[in-house]
Amino acid sequence: MGFQMYAEVLASLIRSADPPQMTIGIFGGYGTGKTTLMDAIAENLKDDVRNGSIVTIGFNAWRHDHEEHLFLPLLNTVYQSVKNVPSLSKCVAAAFWGFVQGLSLSLSHVEVSVGTVYESLRTVLAKNDLSEALAGYVDVYDGLSQIPYAEKANVTRRMVIFIDDLDRCVPQRAFALLEAVKSFMDIRGFVFVLGLDPRAIRTYLSRKYDDAFCVTAEEYLQKMVQIPVHLPRFRRADVIQHLSESSDVAKSLLADTADLQEFLPCNLRQVKRLLNMYTVIKATSDELARTGSAEVGSLNSRILLGLLIIESQWPLAYYVLHSYRDRFHDVYRSCTGKDSSHGPRVLTEKRRLINELASDGFGKIYSFIFEALGKDLTGICRYLDLMGWPILEESDLSLDDERPTGGAAPPS
């Protein structure tokens, strides 16, 4: 995917930026490699970290999503990176103090660890000296602005802060962190690298503002991010090649299931998840056979992977396959118009189900599985039992109530 090239170019920009302050946005959806690229950039800056010209700081926002104010753990992460330099740790402490003073009086509900800070602030406010209270907030900017400068020299370090998984956080907290970080993006020496899905910004803005807000998500990002990097879409061939080169197990499986590769998602993380599930189910089957705790034969790797693809790509169709395993072929023919005399009425009225069953991809994989089982779905039961009962959001699909007399109930 050329990530190393991207990483080298962006690392070079971070080193040479003049003035040394900017924000880089790594934009992409789920599983497109945002974290991988950010890690590669940090790896390319290792020599600069060793010589002291650059300090890299990694912050995973999602890990701290339980915090009311994400900026506090971010400040703590910065502190942990500079705590061995007393002058710099004092700067972070000043910034922390200023940020806490800038919070509302709802701090009385926060943990006891900041209780003393709140009491000090309450004392200041009790004196009715607003200027003294507001002066603390300036310390946030002033404190952080001193961090990049090397001691006893007018040399600006580059503090490169990688903020990842922001788009997984609760919208209001993530947006609050963006707003807080935005206040310090014009401090000389600070470089921010943000990894997020741009679509999340639309959610943040819609949650915070109504439709009358005149700034779009694209405009918001343009004001904040000077170097946007939109990750390229994965090609299926790239995913297959990468996995084949990284694992002998994956290489063997993908070689044996070449006729199913066209149905794999073009997303490295999703394909890894499928292969992980395959490995667990196959190992479980082998262990059951070894211990004699269940009568299971060897699994057909192509049938198992085909079913895993169906579960991933067509979840409602898989749910019905799991539920009507004893007569799914009749249901399939009924829902796709090949034979309308079979199939519960509730299924034939589900438009999403019909669309999934009628898709070319599902039809090809199902036909392959049906033929591989000798046109007898009885053999599919051991695969479905090992895969487990599916979890589906379509809770209004009440199979038991609509099942004709004599139909088999779903397994418990």
Side-chain angles (χ1 to χ4, degrees):
M1 296 298 293
F3 274 23
Q4 186 54 39
M5 177 190 67
Y6 278 107
E8 290 174 359
V9 170
L10 293 172
S12 177
L13 285 173
I14 290 172
R15 291 188 199 98
S16 60
D18 187 18
Q21 62 188 73
M22 62 181 172
T23 302
I24 300 172
I26 309 296
F27 300 142
Y30 167 84
T32 54
K34 298 187 293 296
T35 301
T36 300
L37 179 54
M38 295 169 79
D39 289 343
I41 296 171
E43 181 69 23
N44 272 268
L45 295 173
K46 272 192 171 181
D47 290 341
D48 306 278
V49 173
R50 291 190 189 98
N51 66 34
S53 62
I54 285 178
V55 177
T56 57
I57 301 167
F59 179 71
N60 188 300
W62 192 37
R63 293 177 185 171
H64 302 278
D65 196 33
H66 60 284
E67 300 280 356
E68 184 177 355
H69 301 285
L70 286 174
F71 193 64
L72 291 179
L74 174 59
L75 280 179
N76 179 62
T77 303
V78 175
Y79 171 77
Q80 295 300 324
S81 301
V82 300
K83 66 180 180 181
N84 293 327
V85 183
S87 60
L88 298 185
S89 60
K90 289 180 181 178
C91 296
V92 180
F96 172 81
W97 169 255
F99 181 77
V100 171
Q101 283 192 320
L103 297 178
S104 68
L105 295 185
S106 63
L107 272 176
S108 57
H109 302 296
V110 181
E111 297 295 329
V112 180
S113 57
V114 296
T116 55
V117 176
Y118 172 69
E119 286 299 321
S120 300
L121 177 59
R122 194 163 64 90
T123 302
V124 171
L125 294 177
K127 297 178 182 177
N128 201 26
D129 188 347
L130 188 58
S131 62
E132 184 178 348
L134 292 178
Y137 190 76
V138 180
D139 287 342
V140 182
Y141 184 95
D142 289 347
L144 291 176
S145 65
Q146 297 303 312
I147 292 176
Y149 289 95
E151 291 179 303
K152 301 179 181 179
N154 190 25
V155 178
T156 304
R157 289 186 187 88
R158 281 162 168 77
M159 309 293 294
V160 185
I161 302 181
F162 296 87
I163 300 181
D164 196 12
D165 281 343
L166 197 59
D167 45 13
R168 293 189 183 188
C169 296
V170 175
Q172 59 267 31
R173 291 176 187 166
F175 192 83
L177 178 61
L178 277 178
E179 292 290 282
V181 167
K182 187 175 64 177
S183 302
F184 311 118
M185 286 180 175
D186 60 346
I187 299 178
R188 185 182 179 88
F190 274 93
V191 176
F192 288 89
V193 183
L194 308 177
L196 54 84
D197 187 336
R199 294 173 297 180
I201 298 296
R202 296 190 183 94
T203 303
Y204 301 159
L205 292 176
S206 64
R207 291 288 182 91
K208 189 171 179 65
Y209 305 103
D210 56 25
D211 294 337
F213 188 58
C214 61
V215 177
T216 66
E218 290 73 20
E219 291 170 334
Y220 185 89
L221 286 174
Q222 287 173 8
K223 290 179 178 294
M224 177 177 288
V225 177
Q226 289 78 50
I227 303 178
V229 179
H230 294 268
L231 296 182
R233 290 180 62 88
F234 282 96
R235 293 178 302 173
R236 189 173 289 105
D238 296 324
V239 174
I240 293 170
Q241 178 181 349
H242 173 78
L243 291 173
S244 297
E245 293 174 351
S246 62
S247 165
D248 290 338
V249 174
K251 180 179 181 180
S252 175
L253 174 61
L254 291 171
D256 291 342
T257 58
D259 48 352
L260 294 177
Q261 289 181 8
E262 65 175 295
F263 304 109
L264 292 172
C266 297
N267 185 294
L268 184 60
R269 185 176 294 174
Q270 290 179 1
V271 177
K272 281 183 177 180
R273 182 174 179 272
L274 281 177
L275 297 185
N276 288 339
M277 292 168 64
Y278 172 90
T279 301
V280 170
I281 294 169
K282 184 69 167 59
T284 301
S285 175
D286 292 344
E287 181 64 14
L288 289 172
R290 186 186 68 81
T291 60
S293 54
E295 294 184 6
V296 293
S298 61
L299 296 179
N300 183 313
S301 59
R302 295 160 70 181
I303 292 178
L304 177 56
L305 184 60
L307 288 171
L308 288 170
I309 293 174
I310 287 176
E311 182 184 24
S312 172
Q313 304 285 67
W314 301 282
L316 189 54
Y318 176 78
Y319 181 78
V320 175
L321 170 61
H322 212 297
S323 304
Y324 284 87
R325 59 179 74 181
D326 58 321
R327 53 194 292 261
F328 178 78
H329 194 63
D330 291 335
V331 173
Y332 174 69
R333 292 178 60 81
S334 177
C335 290
T336 54
K338 297 179 176 65
D339 183 353
S340 58
S341 63
H342 297 85
R345 176 178 53 81
V346 67
L347 299 182
T348 59
E349 294 177 353
K350 281 286 181 181
R351 178 47 50 190
R352 179 185 159 196
L353 170 64
I354 302 303
N355 291 338
E356 289 190 7
L357 293 177
S359 67
D360 290 339
F362 178 85
K364 289 179 181 178
I365 293 185
Y366 174 67
S367 296
F368 163 77
I369 293 173
F370 189 62
E371 294 294 332
L373 290 170
K375 299 184 178 181
D376 179 6
L377 287 183
T378 304
I380 206 172
C381 294
R382 60 194 180 99
Y383 292 88
L384 298 178
D385 287 341
L386 286 167
M387 292 174 66
W389 187 251
I391 299 175
L392 191 69
E393 294 180 358
E394 298 279 341
S395 57
D396 59 327
L397 188 61
S398 303
L399 299 177
D400 292 330
D401 296 339
E402 299 292 337
R403 191 179 301 281
T405 304
S412 61

